[in-house]
Amino acid sequence: GEDVEQSLFLSVREGDSSVINCTYTDSSSTYLYWYKQEPGAGLQLLTYIFSNMDMKQDQRLTVLLNKKDKHLSLRIADTQTGDSAIYFCAEWTYGNNRLAFGKGNQVVVIP
Amino acid sequence: GAGVSQSPSNKVTEKGKDVELRCDPISGHTALYWYRQSLGQGLEFLIYFQGNSAPDKSGLPSDRFSAERTGGSVSTLTIQRTQQEDSAVYLCASSLNSGRPPDTQYFGPGTRLTVL
């Protein structure tokens, strides 16, 4: 079944790196996503990783996937004030008609 | 190009009234999803439309909730006899669903529903 867990809150100083973690339970997940939600806005796709990959880097974003532990992380390098948002991880598997989302992790960047 | 749009952006209603929420998906996207985001909660799947197939309604929380998708494009989510626990942000998403993964979903800004 689908069950995605995330921690709730992270504060980080501007310029530091921030790491957001997520665990999932569906071992057949094929794609894992990170979405960003700024205040009052919808969800914006940040990046995704295919389950046969261990790492994906996209500019300041690095996604790490530990399939054995079903653990997904998002590292944001050189965190900026514009990175303050709620970050959701989500998993998608073949045959499912929906994404299963975690509860989100609020990141607050302190200038 | 134009993204997913939703209207209204905010809706305040009285308990017991019916409400309609609208979603305009990205042109050419055959799949359309409705989610509900309650305060401090993740996204709860409500319903999924794919082309002309019967919708997947497995996430609708009660029979007070229904949705239509006319002409394979615009969708309306209707909540009858609203209750205070229906207060949430209702998010719509669409995807190309070309049959080749990943089938990335693109979200609208949401409709914030407040039931007094």
Side-chain angles (χ1 to χ4, degrees), chain A residues 29-100:
Chain A
S29 294
T30 52
Y31 284 93
L32 294 135
Y33 295 78
W34 284 103
Y35 279 85
K36 174 185 180 183
Q37 185 180 37
E38 296 184 56
L43 273 70
Q44 171 195 355
L45 176 65
L46 284 180
T47 187
Y48 63 87
I49 188 168
F50 187 47
S51 58
N52 69 352
M53 297 169 65
D54 297 322
M55 186 183 83
K56 180 178 180 180
Q57 186 154 2
D58 185 358
Q59 299 181 344
R60 294 190 297 118
L61 306 178
T62 302
V63 179
L64 295 176
L65 177 60
N66 180 329
K67 291 182 285 294
K68 173 176 173 292
D69 296 335
K70 298 189 182 65
H71 182 263
L72 181 74
S73 68
L74 175 69
R75 178 177 180 270
I76 305 173
D78 186 25
T79 311
Q80 304 296 306
T81 54
D83 295 327
S84 292
I86 300 175
Y87 291 81
F88 292 93
C89 66
E91 59 177 346
W92 182 81
T93 57
Y94 281 104
N96 282 353
N97 295 332
R98 80 286 300 266
L99 288 171

Side-chain angles (χ1 to χ4, degrees), chain B residues 57-89:
Chain B
K57 304 179 183 180
S58 59
L60 294 178
S62 78
D63 58 8
R64 295 186 295 105
F65 287 72
S66 62
E68 291 185 340
R69 188 177 185 193
T70 54
S73 180
V74 172
S75 177
T76 302
L77 176 69
T78 301
I79 309 173
Q80 295 178 309
R81 305 181 303 282
T82 52
Q83 304 295 310
Q84 289 182 331
E85 61 262 29
D86 299 334
S87 296
V89 176

Side-chain angles (χ1 to χ4, degrees), chain A residues 11-28:
Chain A
S11 68
V12 60
R13 292 201 176 275
E14 189 175 13
D16 288 350
S17 294
S18 45
V19 179
I20 308 163
N21 296 298
C22 170
T23 59
Y24 60 98
T25 57
D26 190 343
S27 59
S28 60

